[in-house]
Amino acid sequence: MTGLSANKIKWIRSLQQKKFRDELDLFVIEGEKLVTEAIFTCPDAIELIVHTDRFSYPINSQIETILTSENDFKRISSLQHPQGCLAILKKNKKQVFPEEKGLILALDSVQDPGNLGTILRIADWFGIKQVVCSHTTVDCYNPKVVQSSMGAVLRINIQYTQLETWLEKTNLPVYGALLEGSSIYKESLPEEAVIVMGNEGNGISEEVTTFVTHPVTIPSFGGSESLNVAVATGIIVSEFRRS
Amino acid sequence: MTGLSANKIKWIRSLQQKKFRDELDLFVIEGEKLVTEAIFTCPDAIELIVHTDRFSYPINSQIETILTSENDFKRISSLQHPQGCLAILKKNKKQVFPEEKGLILALDSVQDPGNLGTILRIADWFGIKQVVCSHTTVDCYNPKVVQSSMGAVLRINIQYTQLETWLEKTNLPVYGALLEGSSIYKESLPEEAVIVMGNEGNGISEEVTTFVTHPVTIPSFGGSESLNVAVATGIIVSEFRRS
């Protein structure tokens, strides 16, 4: 007994690939918490909900919902331990920011899905509403990004663009995390700024570095050569907010 | 052409399990960078090096070294993309700290290997030499912890203990990350202290909370319910070091 046709299973599974997410302008969220949040905050974006009988709270009757078996659910889930509930959402298609203000995070080739998700969660915690990513940054609708962002991907305006071109145009001061920057602890930090964070292995690219007006660094007191990029983002954003 | 017997392969693979790491008091590090660091910093701890012909820099002649085929190397590697070089190390058996001083990090049931590795890397960056873990915290010699710690596991004194008993005895002030704590930005933080961080889902346990003398929190400015525990550790430790 299942409401999922073979075609529907194929369609949902295809969304694990960026190619199909881009083509169909859809992505998947999983787990009761995320799906519940989507029902409350962006019901119009929900295309479909699929769940097993483990999942029984009242669902908005405007949204198409399919009850399926545990076995079929396993086939569409991208999680190691499927939670029995997922939703297909329309992507947020805004491709420009209404206005550049406050703190904006700019990501230059962040590659690891877990890192991007964690960075979006940090942005959300610290009230950053706009994140600009280079085209070489991992897709924010990647299932692992969505999952590790803990829903932040639903709440933040994320834009993919040619980062150099975008930085060239901004009127905000551009802070960048660079090993040779000045200590972030000693800077007097503004309320409005762009904060650039770079790739896990190589940091900010040379091209993007030319647009950094304020190179900053987190002083080291010990043996590690570097900090994880999400941890460094957390510390730097925290410095902006504390002041 | 391989120098790895079936028995040796079985022995190395067994070290992916905590049971055998505990029994044999050994663990595995992988990758040229980590192995090179071990050769320079703790050659006496190295039991054996195994590498493929991709790996050719001069090796300390005191250390037993086995050249093996790519195929056999894949069988002993715990990485998705084996780098062709690993070492078996004796665990650091110090089970007590020589002296409680400076900043000490205490971890209460941190479960995710990536999080523990990242936390050790943070401790190392900020010059924290001692980390105390509850018995319910993931094993620091777990391959994923070793890898994500970027070698910090070789440089830090890590102790597993009954955390409540240890906290009861310490003379240092005990800071704990708790949602209802006072803003970490407003605290005047000492140079010597214990910083307690809790489990990913549940935070610090009730039992351990009773030993927290200074509950602190990272103020939220937005939508996320929480920060990743490694990110929170980074921000809190940074606050101690900046002052």
Side-chain angles (χ1 to χ4, degrees):
Chain A
M1 187 219 65
T2 169
L4 272 183
S5 65
N7 263 343
K8 215 129 211 171
I9 290 177
K10 201 174 154 193
W11 172 68
I12 297 171
R13 284 175 61 93
S14 77
L15 296 174
Q16 293 183 12
Q17 292 176 57
K18 182 172 190 301
K19 184 182 147 191
F20 294 104
R21 291 194 298 270
D22 286 350
E23 213 172 284
L24 303 168
D25 264 322
L26 297 170
F27 69 106
V28 180
I29 60 174
E30 287 204 52
E32 177 164 3
K33 204 162 173 180
L34 273 185
V35 173
T36 307
E37 180 171 337
I39 292 171
F40 280 102
T41 61
C42 53
D44 296 344
I46 304 177
E47 193 85 353
L48 172 68
I49 290 175
V50 185
H51 65 99
T52 65
D53 55 13
R54 267 192 283 165
F55 185 76
S56 62
Y57 74 96
I59 280 174
N60 181 329
S61 61
Q62 304 295 308
I63 301 170
E64 190 192 344
T65 302
I66 297 177
L67 176 67
T68 188
S69 65
E70 292 287 344
N71 266 348
D72 274 355
F73 195 89
K74 266 187 209 152
R75 295 175 63 195
I76 56 169
S77 173
S78 68
L79 299 182
Q80 221 180 336
H81 304 287
Q83 294 176 36
C85 177
L86 64 70
I88 319 290
L89 268 73
K90 293 183 197 80
K91 282 200 220 169
N92 178 347
K93 291 217 242 170
K94 271 182 276 179
Q95 273 307 313
V96 283
F97 293 151
E99 198 183 350
E100 279 171 20
K101 60 177 186 177
L103 287 181
I104 299 178
L105 208 50
L107 304 179
D108 184 18
S109 285
V110 171
Q111 307 262 292
D112 179 82
N115 282 340
L116 178 56
T118 306
I119 289 173
L120 295 175
R121 190 172 164 195
I122 292 165
D124 198 26
W125 179 270
F126 285 108
I128 295 179
K129 307 228 174 299
Q130 310 184 339
V131 175
V132 192
C133 303
S134 68
H135 288 301
T136 48
T137 294
V138 60
D139 180 27
C140 68
Y141 297 110
N142 172 307
K144 281 187 194 159
V145 176
V146 173
Q147 229 53 34
S148 58
S149 84
M150 303 289 250
V153 75
L154 302 176
R155 292 184 289 263
I156 292 177
N157 189 345
I158 305 162
Q159 184 188 339
Y160 283 76
T161 190
Q162 225 280 331
L163 200 53
E164 295 90 322
T165 315
W166 183 83
L167 286 169
E168 198 173 2
K169 284 186 198 147
T170 184
N171 294 314
L172 298 173
V174 179
Y175 286 76
L178 290 158
L179 281 179
E180 65 277 19
S182 49
S183 166
I184 187 86
Y185 300 150
K186 293 184 178 153
E187 290 284 310
S188 152
L189 301 168
E191 280 179 32
E192 308 225 318
V194 176
I195 303 168
V196 187
M197 301 300 299
N199 171 267
E200 285 85 352
N202 307 315
I204 301 175
S205 68
E206 261 182 60
E207 297 75 28
V208 170
T209 300
T210 58
F211 297 102
V212 171
T213 56
H214 297 70
V216 288
T217 198
I218 301 165
S220 161
F221 299 78
S224 287
E225 273 177 35
S226 64
L227 284 167
N228 164 282
V229 63
V231 172
T233 304
I235 294 171
I236 290 175
V237 170
S238 171
E239 284 293 323
F240 273 85
R241 285 300 187 218
R242 81 188 305 286
S243 53
Chain B
M1 186 220 64
T2 168
L4 272 185
S5 64
N7 262 343
K8 214 127 209 171
I9 290 176
K10 200 174 152 194
W11 173 67
I12 297 171
R13 286 174 60 93
S14 77
L15 296 174
Q16 293 182 13
Q17 292 175 58
K18 181 172 190 299
K19 183 183 147 189
F20 293 104
R21 291 194 298 271
D22 286 349
E23 211 172 284
L24 303 167
D25 265 323
L26 297 171
F27 69 106
V28 180
I29 60 175
E30 287 205 51
E32 177 165 1
K33 204 162 172 181
L34 273 186
V35 173
T36 307
E37 181 173 337
I39 293 171
F40 281 102
T41 61
C42 53
D44 295 343
I46 304 177
E47 193 85 352
L48 171 67
I49 290 174
V50 185
H51 64 99
T52 66
D53 53 14
R54 267 191 282 166
F55 185 76
S56 63
Y57 75 96
I59 279 174
N60 181 327
S61 61
Q62 303 296 306
I63 300 170
E64 189 191 345
T65 301
I66 296 177
L67 176 67
T68 188
S69 65
E70 292 287 345
N71 266 348
D72 273 356
F73 196 88
K74 266 187 210 151
R75 296 176 62 195
I76 57 169
S77 174
S78 68
L79 299 182
Q80 219 181 338
H81 305 285
Q83 293 175 38
C85 176
L86 64 71
I88 318 290
L89 268 72
K90 292 183 198 79
K91 284 200 220 170
N92 178 347
K93 292 217 242 171
K94 271 181 274 176
Q95 273 307 313
V96 281
F97 295 151
E99 198 182 350
E100 280 171 22
K101 59 176 186 179
L103 287 181
I104 299 177
L105 208 50
L107 306 178
D108 183 18
S109 285
V110 170
Q111 306 262 293
D112 180 83
N115 282 340
L116 179 57
T118 307
I119 289 172
L120 295 174
R121 191 172 163 195
I122 292 165
D124 198 26
W125 178 270
F126 284 108
I128 294 180
K129 308 227 174 300
Q130 310 184 338
V131 175
V132 192
C133 304
S134 68
H135 287 301
T136 49
T137 293
V138 60
D139 180 27
C140 68
Y141 297 110
N142 172 305
K144 282 188 194 160
V145 176
V146 174
Q147 229 53 36
S148 57
S149 85
M150 303 291 250
V153 75
L154 302 176
R155 294 184 289 263
I156 292 177
N157 189 345
I158 305 161
Q159 184 188 340
Y160 283 76
T161 190
Q162 225 280 333
L163 200 53
E164 294 91 321
T165 315
W166 183 84
L167 285 169
E168 197 173 4
K169 283 187 199 148
T170 184
N171 293 315
L172 298 173
V174 179
Y175 287 74
L178 290 159
L179 281 178
E180 64 279 18
S182 48
S183 166
I184 187 87
Y185 300 149
K186 293 185 178 153
E187 290 285 309
S188 151
L189 301 168
E191 282 180 28
E192 309 225 318
V194 176
I195 303 169
V196 187
M197 301 299 300
N199 171 266
E200 286 86 351
N202 307 316
I204 302 174
S205 67
E206 259 181 63
E207 297 74 27
V208 170
T209 300
T210 58
F211 297 103
V212 171
T213 56
H214 297 69
V216 288
T217 199
I218 302 166
S220 162
F221 298 78
S224 288
E225 272 177 36
S226 64
L227 285 166
N228 163 282
V229 63
V231 172
T233 305
I235 293 171
I236 290 174
V237 171
S238 171
E239 284 293 321
F240 273 85
R241 283 302 187 218
R242 81 188 305 285
S243 52

